[in-house]
């Protein structure tokens, strides 16, 4: 799925925006060098390795175009934070922040929150924030192998600041909307051009 002259994941407006944002920030991505397709354990769809500055897409779990695009966008937020914001992945607050930002801009929706059990018809107002917090905590636990309370403390410390940081996408994306396309077309206004 990641081979060929015009990979289908490059048709995704969010991926195109992230590539432009990385390039405009001095962090240009060479697709053949910075994206790797590998077999992973069955609990993840991808990851970002700062040591090699490489995004890994798990070919055995990220099997649909949408899953590849979603995973790639999420991991590109980490790549952006590492390059532009000098993310220190050994600092748990930095790691919590990038996980909050990625969940906030690429993953959490009301339907997704409902599926994970963090939303209901009686709990709509804060469902998105709860989803982002839950996803960030679960990511910290998986990455750092730490107790849930320690992960929750880190997420709480940085949540407000990181939840409100929408760079480079500029908005929270709603499912089945034109938000991705709007963010892509607005990119040049913020200096993100291909």
């Amino acid at each position: 799925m990641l081979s060929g002259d015009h990979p289908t994941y490059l048709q995704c407006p969010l991926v195109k925006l992230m590539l432009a944002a990385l390039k405009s920030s001095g962090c240009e991505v060479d697709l053949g060098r910075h994206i790797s397709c590998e077999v992973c354990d069955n609990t993840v769809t991808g990851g970002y390795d700062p040591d090699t500055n490489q995004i890994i897409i798990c070919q055995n779990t990220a099997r649909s175009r949408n899953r590849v695009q979603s995973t790639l966008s999420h991991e590109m937020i980490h790549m952006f934070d590492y390059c532009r914001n000098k993310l220190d992945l050994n600092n748990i607050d930095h790691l919590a922040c990038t996980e909050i930002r990625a969940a906030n801009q690429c993953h959490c929706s009301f339907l997704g929150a409902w599926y994970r059990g963090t939303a209901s018809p009686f709990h709509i107002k804060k469902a998105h924030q709860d989803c982002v917090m839950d996803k960030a905590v679960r990511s910290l636990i998986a990455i750092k192998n730490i107790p849930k309370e320690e992960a929750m403390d880190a997420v709480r410390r940085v949540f407000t600041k990181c939840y409100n940081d929408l760079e480079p996408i500029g908005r929270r994306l709603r499912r089945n909307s034109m938000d991705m396309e709007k963010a892509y077309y607005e990119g040049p206004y913020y200096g993100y051009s291909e």
Side-chain angles (χ1 to χ4, degrees):
M1 190 175 295
L2 296 179
S3 62
D5 293 336
H6 302 293
T8 58
Y9 63 87
L10 287 180
Q11 297 170 5
C12 174
L14 189 54
V15 171
K16 292 192 297 188
L17 172 64
M18 288 304 304
L19 286 170
L22 284 158
K23 179 181 177 182
S24 295
S25 299
C27 313
E28 197 157 344
V29 175
D30 174 351
L31 298 176
R33 156 70 182 88
H34 293 109
I35 299 174
S36 175
C37 192
E38 301 177 9
V39 175
C40 308
D41 70 40
N42 288 330
T43 61
V44 298
T45 56
Y48 173 66
D49 182 354
D51 293 334
T52 60
N53 193 30
Q54 194 170 50
I55 292 171
I56 293 98
I57 302 294
C58 299
Q59 67 187 27
N60 56 315
T61 55
R63 293 179 170 221
S64 70
R65 185 173 98 185
N66 287 343
R67 183 62 65 101
V68 170
Q69 290 171 349
S70 173
T71 302
L72 191 54
S73 300
H74 177 107
E75 300 306 333
M76 287 176 126
I77 293 283
H78 298 324
M79 183 181 264
F80 181 86
D81 286 348
Y82 185 76
C83 178
R84 183 166 175 182
N85 300 325
K86 308 304 179 212
L87 176 70
D88 176 2
L89 293 175
N90 292 317
N91 181 323
I92 195 162
D93 288 356
H94 285 205
L95 186 56
C97 188
T98 195
E99 290 298 342
I100 290 165
R101 287 177 25 75
N104 187 19
Q105 296 180 76
C106 298
H107 289 292
C108 287
S109 67
F110 180 74
L111 290 176
W114 182 302
Y115 177 76
R116 280 187 292 284
T118 58
S120 74
F122 307 105
H123 182 70
I124 293 173
K125 188 173 181 180
K126 291 202 160 232
H128 186 266
Q129 289 180 13
D130 291 348
C131 174
V132 170
M133 189 171 280
D134 178 65
K135 181 130 177 65
V137 166
R138 287 186 295 113
S139 293
L140 283 180
I141 292 168
I143 294 166
K144 288 291 193 183
N145 194 25
I146 58 175
K148 182 176 182 176
E149 201 53 46
E150 186 178 342
M152 186 61 102
D153 288 344
V155 169
R156 284 186 185 128
R157 276 193 302 272
V158 299
F159 190 80
T160 300
K161 178 182 179 186
C162 300
Y163 183 77
N164 291 321
D165 181 358
L166 299 175
E167 188 72 27
I169 296 170
R171 65 181 70 226
R172 291 178 184 93
L173 303 175
R174 296 169 296 159
R175 283 197 188 199
N176 301 321
S177 73
M178 295 297 291
D179 287 348
M180 275 197 275
E181 290 80 2
K182 288 177 185 175
Y184 173 69
Y185 289 118
E186 292 168 356
Y189 294 117
Y190 301 102
Y192 303 137
S193 55
E194 294 180 63

